[in-house]
Structure formats: structure tokens, C-alpha cells
Amino acid sequence: MKQVRKAIIPAAGMGTRFLPATKSMPKEMLPIVDKPVLQYVIEEAVNSGIDDILIVTGRGKQAIENHFDYNPDLEVFLRSAGKSDLIELVRDIGEQAQIHYIRQKEQLGLGDAIRLGRHHMGGEPFAVLLGDTIIEPPHGQKPGLRQVLDAFEQTQSSVVAVHRVPMEWVSRYGVVDGEPEGGNPDLLRLRKLVEKPAMNVAPSNLAIAGRYVFTAEIFDCIDRTQRGVGGEIQLTDAMNLLAQDHPVYALAWQARRFDIGNRLEYAKCFLEFALKREDTGPKLLEHLKWLLEDGEQPV
Ligand code: UTP
């Protein structure tokens, strides 16, 4: 049985929806309380059993490599400031997996970013985690990518994670057209993906959630994909080619998805994560109550 060890994290996009913050800072490095988004994504990969990660970066994304590297000056400073306990915190980040980088010279879309990983993946099946998307599984459930890897191990085929969205939202997403298979209503054999369908013609309300496992055939399909809107090579087009000749499954999971490239989703994610933490949650909740109820300002 094939096991997946490697993952690609595309993080080379321009982040235009988040300007001006992304003018000089990658959106993948925006903090959710005290950790950048990309660190949450890498932790999900590692907690799912991945030990080799290829991050696709681009111009202006040096902060990513610096974050996952040692910083001797900072360590010297922390030691002299009597804050040695923080050294482990900043060192550990890059040690959870083998992290490699490749640069996308032109932002030609997600399909193009993934294509750059062909050589590194060496013909093995591999995972893809969007670098600007945080997945939050329900309490007690496995990490998002682990759920997709379990479905891969069961089917030995490519799998895309999808989540149910209100029907009025389908026109914002890539949506699945497929058939449940093998007695599991949450695992569908994919007929095709429909990009941003109108509500009245959408084949389902199952929207692509930013986590995938692919067999190596996806690379030939990306090569055969024509450039679409804005000259970009769309991953969904390549997946439709893949589904014509190979089984591809959609796993409908319960996990929540935060696309932090979208300002409102980012604000929601920050707020929810801050509310869950012991050091910030209780005081923040008091503050929110005050804001909403117009009561007495908490100190
Ligand atoms: P998005 O389409 O959300 O990113 O890609 P974007 O192009 O930066 O978004 P906007 O519309 O300009 O705000 C999802 C993920 O794929 C990466 C992005 O960095 C993001 O993590 N990506 C996208 C690439 O690596 N290369 C690309 O050419 C496009």
C-alpha cells in the first residue's frame, strides 16, 4: 500500500485581496494571535504524518524562509535578556519536518505552483495544503489532512477535501459533481469539479476545502491544462482531466475552513483562536460582551 510522506504548500500568490498588508509581507505570514498562518498549516501536515515539505515561494516571500530557519542573533538576545525559555519556542519551528523551498517565478496559478514540485515528489503520491488556509477539525477529530490521507489509504486514489456550504455561497467556490461510493455517504467518486457555478445549476453544495492528496498522474494533467482567466493554470481544470482517466474522490468532512486570504475570514479566525486560548480568551470575551451590550468597560 502506498503511504504519503511528502507535501507541497503553495505560498507564492500575490495576496491582492489583502493589500496593503501583503505589499511587503506574505499573507501566509499573517499572525493568528502569535503564530503565522503557515505555521498552523505546517503543524497540521506534521501532525498528519508528513515529514517532507516543499514550500512554493516567490518574490517578496523571504520572511517565510527566515521564519523556519534558526535566528542566532535573536537567540543571543533572548539569552542575555534572561528569556532562554523562549529559545526553544523559536527554534522548534523549523525542526518538525524537512522543509524545502522552490520559487515560482511568475504567479501563473495554483496548477503551475504544484507543477514545480514534480521533481521533488519523485513519482510518489503527495499531499497539497494551501498555505493561506487553516483547517479546524471538530473537537476530538483527526487533523484535516490526516482525514484526507485516511481516505487515500482506503482508495489508493487522489482525494480532495470538500465541505458543505450554504447553497447561496456555491458561486464563490469550486463545487463537486459526484456519486457516493462504497456505502460511505461522505466519500464521493468525482465526475467533475465545476468552478463557481450559479446557485440554480450547481451540482452540489460541496466546496473544495484546500487540502488534497494526488497520485503522480496529476503532473501530466497539469501539463495538458490550457491557461485560463488571467493566464493562470487552474488546478481544478487539471483535476477534471485526471478524473477522466483515473478515480478521484471527494471527502466531505466536518472540519471548518478559514481562507485567510479573505479579510473577513481572517478576522473570524483570529477572533475564534484568541477566544479559545486561556491567556487571551476570558478577557477578550469580556471585552466583546462590553462592545456588544454597551455595558461597563472591563479593565
Ligand atoms: P489564492 O488564489 O487564494 O492566492 O491561492 P492569491 O493569488 O495570492 O490570492 P489573491 O486573489 O491575489 O488575494 C491559494 C494558495 O495558492 C498560492 C497562494 O499563495 C495561496 O497560498 N498560489 C496561488 C501560488 O503559490 N501561486 C499562484 O500562482 C497562485
Side-chain angles (χ1 to χ4, degrees):
M1 187 168 72
K2 288 186 199 151
Q3 297 278 347
V4 177
R5 272 186 338 101
K6 296 183 180 176
I8 301 179
I9 302 183
M14 300 294 273
T16 52
R17 288 169 297 159
F18 225 119
L19 282 167
T22 47
K23 186 179 170 201
S24 64
M25 182 171 69
K27 65 176 162 177
E28 295 80 7
M29 292 303 290
L30 289 168
I32 299 293
V33 190
D34 56 3
K35 252 196 303 190
V37 169
L38 189 57
Q39 195 174 335
Y40 288 91
V41 176
I42 289 182
E43 285 172 1
E44 179 193 336
V46 170
N47 293 334
S48 300
I50 297 293
D51 60 15
D52 183 307
I53 294 171
L54 179 68
I55 303 179
V56 184
T57 66
R59 264 187 306 286
K61 300 268 183 172
Q62 294 88 337
I64 294 179
E65 292 186 39
N66 291 340
H67 183 73
F68 294 100
D69 195 1
Y70 288 165
N71 184 338
D73 294 343
L74 176 62
E75 290 183 20
V76 168
F77 172 78
L78 290 174
R79 201 164 284 119
S80 66
K83 296 182 176 175
S84 300
D85 50 324
L86 295 177
I87 292 178
E88 216 170 300
L89 193 73
V90 297
R91 237 180 198 245
D92 268 2
I93 302 165
E95 291 187 339
Q96 305 178 3
Q98 287 286 333
I99 301 180
H100 310 266
Y101 300 92
I102 193 161
R103 273 172 82 117
Q104 188 184 26
K105 294 192 181 69
E106 268 184 287
Q107 275 55 50
L108 292 177
L110 192 51
D112 180 66
I114 289 167
R115 173 163 53 189
L116 295 173
R118 183 175 203 148
H119 182 69
H120 191 89
M121 296 304 126
E124 293 178 33
F126 63 95
V128 173
L129 302 95
L130 298 192
D132 64 350
T133 299
I134 291 183
I135 301 296
E136 181 71 345
H139 185 69
Q141 290 235 10
K142 293 179 185 175
L145 182 65
R146 186 62 250 168
Q147 298 180 34
V148 187
L149 289 168
D150 287 348
F152 168 80
E153 284 172 15
Q154 184 193 333
T155 60
Q156 293 289 296
S157 303
S158 299
V159 181
V160 51
V162 294
H163 63 145
R164 289 179 209 283
V165 297
M167 218 49 206
E168 309 83 73
W169 294 5
V170 286
S171 61
R172 307 178 200 168
Y173 295 97
V175 169
V176 162
D177 177 0
E179 277 289 319
E181 210 185 68
N184 178 356
D186 294 331
L187 194 62
L188 289 85
R189 170 89 183 244
L190 192 86
R191 263 191 296 269
K192 65 176 184 331
L193 291 169
V194 186
E195 203 46 69
K196 302 190 170 83
M199 193 169 99
N200 56 338
V201 293
S204 74
N205 64 342
L206 295 170
I208 296 181
R211 299 291 182 265
Y212 317 74
V213 175
F214 290 116
T215 56
E217 289 86 16
I218 190 70
F219 292 118
D220 285 339
C221 297
I222 295 174
D223 285 346
R224 282 163 45 213
T225 300
Q226 305 289 324
R227 289 188 184 200
V229 188
E232 292 199 351
I233 298 176
Q234 302 292 344
L235 181 63
T236 46
D237 291 344
M239 288 175 66
N240 280 335
L241 290 177
L242 184 68
Q244 283 172 11
D245 298 326
H246 300 274
V248 179
Y249 290 88
L251 174 71
W253 65 14
Q254 301 299 321
R256 312 248 319 285
R257 171 200 189 189
F258 296 100
D259 167 9
I260 62 85
N262 165 310
R263 291 171 202 178
L264 178 60
E265 290 281 301
Y266 174 73
K268 285 184 193 168
C269 185
F270 196 115
L271 185 65
E272 283 194 32
F273 279 51
L275 280 170
K276 272 192 308 199
R277 288 171 57 133
E278 272 176 26
D279 58 344
T280 48
K283 285 280 177 207
L284 182 60
L285 187 62
E286 264 181 53
H287 186 76
L288 284 175
K289 283 186 181 153
W290 168 70
L291 274 180
L292 297 171
E293 290 166 8
D294 210 13
E296 204 169 307
Q297 181 170 12
V299 280

Short mmCIF file of all heavy atoms in Angstrom, two decimals, residues 266-287:
data_model
loop_
_atom_site.label_atom_id
_atom_site.label_comp_id
_atom_site.label_asym_id
_atom_site.label_seq_id
_atom_site.Cartn_x
_atom_site.Cartn_y
_atom_site.Cartn_z
N TYR A 266 -10.25 36.00 7.81
CA TYR A 266 -9.07 36.19 8.66
C TYR A 266 -9.50 36.73 10.02
O TYR A 266 -9.07 36.22 11.07
CB TYR A 266 -8.10 37.17 7.98
CG TYR A 266 -6.92 37.53 8.86
CD1 TYR A 266 -5.90 36.62 9.10
CD2 TYR A 266 -6.85 38.78 9.48
CE1 TYR A 266 -4.83 36.94 9.92
CE2 TYR A 266 -5.79 39.11 10.31
CZ TYR A 266 -4.78 38.19 10.52
OH TYR A 266 -3.72 38.50 11.34
N ALA A 267 -10.37 37.73 10.01
CA ALA A 267 -10.81 38.33 11.27
C ALA A 267 -11.55 37.29 12.12
O ALA A 267 -11.33 37.20 13.34
CB ALA A 267 -11.70 39.53 10.99
N LYS A 268 -12.38 36.47 11.48
CA LYS A 268 -13.12 35.44 12.22
C LYS A 268 -12.16 34.44 12.84
O LYS A 268 -12.32 34.01 13.97
CB LYS A 268 -14.06 34.67 11.28
CG LYS A 268 -15.31 35.43 10.87
CD LYS A 268 -16.14 34.46 10.03
CE LYS A 268 -17.25 35.14 9.29
NZ LYS A 268 -17.86 34.25 8.30
N CYS A 269 -11.16 34.02 12.05
CA CYS A 269 -10.20 33.02 12.50
C CYS A 269 -9.42 33.56 13.70
O CYS A 269 -9.28 32.89 14.73
CB CYS A 269 -9.26 32.67 11.34
SG CYS A 269 -8.13 31.34 11.73
N PHE A 270 -8.93 34.80 13.59
CA PHE A 270 -8.16 35.41 14.68
C PHE A 270 -9.00 35.44 15.95
O PHE A 270 -8.56 35.04 17.03
CB PHE A 270 -7.74 36.83 14.25
CG PHE A 270 -6.64 37.40 15.09
CD1 PHE A 270 -5.39 37.68 14.53
CD2 PHE A 270 -6.83 37.69 16.43
CE1 PHE A 270 -4.35 38.19 15.30
CE2 PHE A 270 -5.81 38.21 17.20
CZ PHE A 270 -4.58 38.47 16.63
N LEU A 271 -10.24 35.90 15.80
CA LEU A 271 -11.12 36.05 16.96
C LEU A 271 -11.39 34.69 17.61
O LEU A 271 -11.27 34.52 18.83
CB LEU A 271 -12.44 36.69 16.50
CG LEU A 271 -13.43 37.03 17.59
CD1 LEU A 271 -12.87 38.09 18.51
CD2 LEU A 271 -14.74 37.52 16.98
N GLU A 272 -11.73 33.69 16.81
CA GLU A 272 -12.06 32.37 17.37
C GLU A 272 -10.86 31.74 18.07
O GLU A 272 -10.99 31.17 19.14
CB GLU A 272 -12.54 31.42 16.26
CG GLU A 272 -13.96 31.71 15.86
CD GLU A 272 -14.56 30.58 15.03
OE1 GLU A 272 -14.21 29.41 15.23
OE2 GLU A 272 -15.38 30.91 14.15
N PHE A 273 -9.68 31.87 17.45
CA PHE A 273 -8.49 31.26 18.05
C PHE A 273 -8.12 32.00 19.34
O PHE A 273 -7.71 31.39 20.32
CB PHE A 273 -7.32 31.24 17.06
CG PHE A 273 -7.40 30.08 16.09
CD1 PHE A 273 -8.55 29.83 15.36
CD2 PHE A 273 -6.32 29.24 15.89
CE1 PHE A 273 -8.63 28.76 14.46
CE2 PHE A 273 -6.37 28.17 15.00
CZ PHE A 273 -7.53 27.94 14.29
N ALA A 274 -8.27 33.32 19.34
CA ALA A 274 -7.95 34.10 20.54
C ALA A 274 -8.94 33.78 21.66
O ALA A 274 -8.57 33.71 22.83
CB ALA A 274 -7.95 35.59 20.22
N LEU A 275 -10.20 33.56 21.29
CA LEU A 275 -11.21 33.23 22.31
C LEU A 275 -10.95 31.87 22.95
O LEU A 275 -11.27 31.64 24.10
CB LEU A 275 -12.62 33.24 21.68
CG LEU A 275 -13.24 34.62 21.50
CD1 LEU A 275 -14.52 34.53 20.66
CD2 LEU A 275 -13.54 35.30 22.84
N LYS A 276 -10.34 30.96 22.17
CA LYS A 276 -10.12 29.60 22.69
C LYS A 276 -8.93 29.51 23.63
O LYS A 276 -8.80 28.55 24.36
CB LYS A 276 -9.83 28.65 21.50
CG LYS A 276 -11.07 28.07 20.90
CD LYS A 276 -10.76 26.96 19.96
CE LYS A 276 -9.74 27.35 18.93
NZ LYS A 276 -9.65 26.57 17.75
N ARG A 277 -8.05 30.50 23.59
CA ARG A 277 -6.81 30.41 24.39
C ARG A 277 -7.03 30.88 25.82
O ARG A 277 -7.73 31.88 26.04
CB ARG A 277 -5.72 31.27 23.75
CG ARG A 277 -5.18 30.68 22.48
CD ARG A 277 -4.30 31.66 21.80
NE ARG A 277 -3.20 32.10 22.66
CZ ARG A 277 -1.92 32.16 22.25
NH1 ARG A 277 -1.61 31.80 21.02
NH2 ARG A 277 -0.98 32.59 23.06
N GLU A 278 -6.36 30.20 26.74
CA GLU A 278 -6.53 30.58 28.15
C GLU A 278 -5.96 31.96 28.44
O GLU A 278 -6.49 32.70 29.27
CB GLU A 278 -5.80 29.57 29.04
CG GLU A 278 -6.69 28.40 29.41
CD GLU A 278 -5.94 27.36 30.21
OE1 GLU A 278 -4.95 27.71 30.88
OE2 GLU A 278 -6.34 26.19 30.13
N ASP A 279 -4.83 32.32 27.76
CA ASP A 279 -4.20 33.60 28.10
C ASP A 279 -4.95 34.80 27.53
O ASP A 279 -4.80 35.91 28.02
CB ASP A 279 -2.73 33.61 27.63
CG ASP A 279 -2.57 33.38 26.14
OD1 ASP A 279 -3.53 32.92 25.49
OD2 ASP A 279 -1.48 33.67 25.61
N THR A 280 -5.75 34.61 26.49
CA THR A 280 -6.44 35.75 25.89
C THR A 280 -7.96 35.61 25.93
O THR A 280 -8.68 36.62 25.92
CB THR A 280 -6.03 35.90 24.40
OG1 THR A 280 -6.12 34.61 23.76
CG2 THR A 280 -4.61 36.42 24.26
N GLY A 281 -8.47 34.36 25.98
CA GLY A 281 -9.90 34.11 25.80
C GLY A 281 -10.81 34.84 26.79
O GLY A 281 -11.68 35.63 26.36
N PRO A 282 -10.65 34.62 28.12
CA PRO A 282 -11.60 35.20 29.06
C PRO A 282 -11.68 36.73 28.98
O PRO A 282 -12.78 37.29 28.95
CB PRO A 282 -11.07 34.73 30.43
CG PRO A 282 -10.28 33.50 30.11
CD PRO A 282 -9.68 33.73 28.76
N LYS A 283 -10.54 37.40 28.91
CA LYS A 283 -10.54 38.88 28.86
C LYS A 283 -11.15 39.37 27.55
O LYS A 283 -11.86 40.37 27.51
CB LYS A 283 -9.11 39.41 28.98
CG LYS A 283 -8.57 39.32 30.37
CD LYS A 283 -9.09 40.48 31.20
CE LYS A 283 -8.62 40.36 32.64
NZ LYS A 283 -9.51 40.99 33.59
N LEU A 284 -10.84 38.65 26.46
CA LEU A 284 -11.37 39.06 25.16
C LEU A 284 -12.90 38.91 25.14
O LEU A 284 -13.62 39.76 24.61
CB LEU A 284 -10.74 38.20 24.05
CG LEU A 284 -11.15 38.52 22.63
CD1 LEU A 284 -10.82 39.96 22.25
CD2 LEU A 284 -10.46 37.57 21.63
N LEU A 285 -13.37 37.84 25.76
CA LEU A 285 -14.83 37.61 25.81
C LEU A 285 -15.51 38.74 26.59
O LEU A 285 -16.54 39.28 26.15
CB LEU A 285 -15.11 36.26 26.47
CG LEU A 285 -16.56 35.81 26.45
CD1 LEU A 285 -17.06 35.64 25.02
CD2 LEU A 285 -16.71 34.48 27.21
N GLU A 286 -14.90 39.12 27.71
CA GLU A 286 -15.45 40.25 28.48
C GLU A 286 -15.53 41.49 27.61
O GLU A 286 -16.51 42.22 27.63
CB GLU A 286 -14.51 40.58 29.65
CG GLU A 286 -14.86 39.97 30.97
CD GLU A 286 -13.84 40.41 32.02
OE1 GLU A 286 -13.59 41.62 32.17
OE2 GLU A 286 -13.25 39.52 32.65
N HIS A 287 -14.45 41.70 26.85
CA HIS A 287 -14.38 42.89 26.00
C HIS A 287 -15.46 42.86 24.92
O HIS A 287 -16.12 43.86 24.64
CB HIS A 287 -12.99 42.96 25.37
CG HIS A 287 -12.75 44.22 24.61
ND1 HIS A 287 -12.49 45.42 25.22
CD2 HIS A 287 -12.78 44.48 23.27
CE1 HIS A 287 -12.35 46.35 24.31
NE2 HIS A 287 -12.53 45.81 23.11
#
